Amino acid sequence: MSSNPFEAAVILDGIRRWVEIESPTERPDQVNKLADLVASGYRDLSVSVDRVAGRDGCGDHLVTRSSWGQGVPGILVLSHLDTVHPMGFIERLPFKVEGNRAFGPGIYDMKGGAYLAYHAFRQVCADDVRPPLGVTQLYVSDEEIGSPTSRALIEAEGRKAKYVLVTEPAREGGKIVTGRKGVARFEVFVKGTPAHAGARPEDGCSAIRELGNVIQTLEAMNDFKRGVTVNVGVVRGGSKSNVIAEEAYAEVDMRVPTMADADELVPKILGVTSRTHGVTVKVIGGLNPRGSLQIPPGVVSQIPPPARQDKGLLV
C-alpha cells in the first residue's frame, strides 16, 4: 500500500462516499446525513466543529476551525453540501470512473471540490509544521436555493477572513471564476374562468393558454450574447383534461451579469400582463440579495490557473 495520502484512488473513495449520500436541498434529513459523515471525519483532528441547526426546511451548517491561527484573519474555505439532483438520481447516474473523469450526482457541483478541500485540510492537520494562517471550513446546506439560511453565517465568517476559497469548479479551459451573475426568482400566478371543455368551452378562459403566452414573453428576454438568461423551470395548472383551466402557475429563474441588466429586466418581468380578456396575470419576486460579487483583479492575479481543464471532474 502506498503512503501517499493524495493518491487518486484514496481521494476518489472519499468522494464516492459523499456522492452516494444524496443531498437535495429540499431534503434536510439527507443533507444532515451527509453533514454527519463530514463532521465525523474531523473527530481525530485538533479542530473544533460547530453545527448550526437548520431552519425553514433547510439542513444544518458546519463550521470547522483549525486549532491554530484563529486569533487573526486567516483562510475561509467555503463549500456547500446540498445538490440540485432529486432523490433517486443516483440510480440514473451511479458513481463511476471512466478514464480520467468521475461521475455522480453533485460531484461537479460541488462534492468533488468540497471533498478535495476537506482531504487537504486533514493532511495539513496531520503535518507537524503548521501554516502561518488559521483555516476555517464552512459547509452550508442551502446554496442551491440562494443561501437563505446561511447568508448571515457566510458574511460573518467572510469578514473575519483574509482570504476566501470557494470550492466550486472552474469553467471551460480552466478559467478562474471571479464573479457570479445576479440571480432573480419569480412566481407567476394566472387566473382564468373554468368551464366544461366539451359542453361549454365558450364560457371558459384558459389560464394554461395564457401561461403559454407568458412563457413566450419571458423566453424572448433571453440574450445569450449579453449573458442574460430567463428560464421557466416549473409549470403547473388545471384540474382535469375536460375542464378549461381556471389556474396556472410557473416558477422563473433569471440570471444577469450586471445590475444595469437587473434594473432593466426585473421590472419587465414583474410587469408582464395578460393578453386574454377575462384572464389575470400576477408576477411576484425579484433579485436575490446575494447579487453578484466581484474579486479585485489584484487578487485574481495571485491565483495560478490550472494546468488543464476537462469537462467533468478530473481524477
Side-chain angles (χ1 to χ4, degrees):
M1 296 290 291
S2 171
S3 61
N4 177 12
F6 293 101
E7 271 199 1
V10 174
I11 294 174
L12 280 171
D13 185 61
I15 293 175
R16 175 189 59 78
R17 293 197 300 272
W18 286 26
V19 168
E20 290 181 347
I21 298 177
E22 295 183 280
S23 53
T25 316
E26 68 275 10
R27 286 290 302 271
D29 57 324
Q30 286 293 121
V31 177
N32 288 347
K33 184 177 179 181
L34 178 56
D36 290 341
L37 177 63
V38 175
S40 69
Y42 289 94
R43 286 176 184 163
D44 60 338
L45 304 177
S46 57
V47 301
S48 64
V49 180
D50 297 321
R51 189 156 179 162
V52 181
R55 59 180 175 84
D56 301 334
C58 295
D60 298 348
H61 313 305
L62 293 178
V63 187
T64 64
R65 305 182 195 278
S66 65
S67 60
W68 69 92
Q70 291 299 325
V72 296
I75 301 169
L76 173 64
V77 181
L78 179 59
S79 307
H80 64 87
L81 299 178
D82 60 320
T83 66
V84 297
H85 302 283
M87 288 297 297
F89 206 86
I90 193 74
E91 304 300 325
R92 293 175 54 186
L93 183 62
F95 179 87
K96 62 181 179 180
V97 178
E98 293 182 354
N100 67 342
R101 298 180 188 175
F103 299 84
I107 194 171
Y108 191 67
D109 183 14
M110 62 181 297
K111 290 182 178 179
Y115 185 87
L116 289 172
Y118 157 85
H119 188 83
F121 182 62
R122 285 191 58 84
Q123 305 315 310
V124 170
C125 289
D127 199 327
D128 292 333
V129 180
R130 293 287 184 254
L133 296 178
V135 179
T136 297
Q137 288 192 297
L138 172 59
Y139 302 90
V140 302
S141 65
D142 58 355
E143 189 271 349
E144 296 293 358
I145 60 170
S147 306
T149 70
S150 63
R151 178 178 177 174
L153 180 60
I154 293 169
E155 290 178 344
E157 293 298 330
R159 291 188 189 101
K160 293 187 287 186
K162 184 175 183 179
Y163 303 105
V164 178
L165 171 66
V166 179
T167 58
E168 291 274 5
R171 291 289 186 258
E172 294 280 347
K175 295 176 182 177
I176 297 169
V177 178
T178 61
R180 294 289 184 187
K181 289 183 179 180
V183 180
R185 300 281 168 80
F186 303 91
E187 293 179 281
V188 180
F189 301 88
V190 186
K191 181 78 170 180
T193 304
H196 194 285
R200 304 285 298 183
E202 68 277 9
D203 292 344
C205 296
S206 174
I208 289 179
R209 183 176 60 204
E210 183 54 38
L211 181 57
N213 293 333
V214 172
I215 291 172
Q216 291 181 28
T217 298
L218 294 173
E219 292 285 345
M221 296 181 187
N222 278 288
D223 189 335
F224 300 146
K225 289 184 178 179
R226 287 169 58 191
V228 172
T229 58
V230 180
N231 179 63
V232 180
V234 176
V235 294
R236 292 193 294 269
S239 57
K240 296 180 180 179
S241 62
N242 64 342
V243 177
I244 303 294
E246 180 180 12
E247 296 181 341
Y249 169 83
E251 295 178 14
V252 184
D253 175 284
M254 182 190 76
R255 309 288 172 112
V256 289
T258 69
M259 283 303 300
D261 293 318
D263 291 341
E264 172 193 346
L265 291 170
V266 168
K268 282 187 178 180
I269 293 177
L270 292 175
V272 170
T273 58
S274 174
R275 303 183 198 173
T276 306
H277 178 72
V279 180
T280 62
V281 173
K282 179 182 179 181
V283 183
I284 64 173
L287 196 66
N288 188 308
R290 67 179 174 171
S292 181
L293 300 177
Q294 299 293 331
I295 300 174
V299 175
V300 176
S301 66
Q302 299 172 21
I303 308 174
R308 57 175 296 189
Q309 164 74 17
D310 289 330
K311 294 181 179 178
L313 182 70
L314 282 178
V315 301

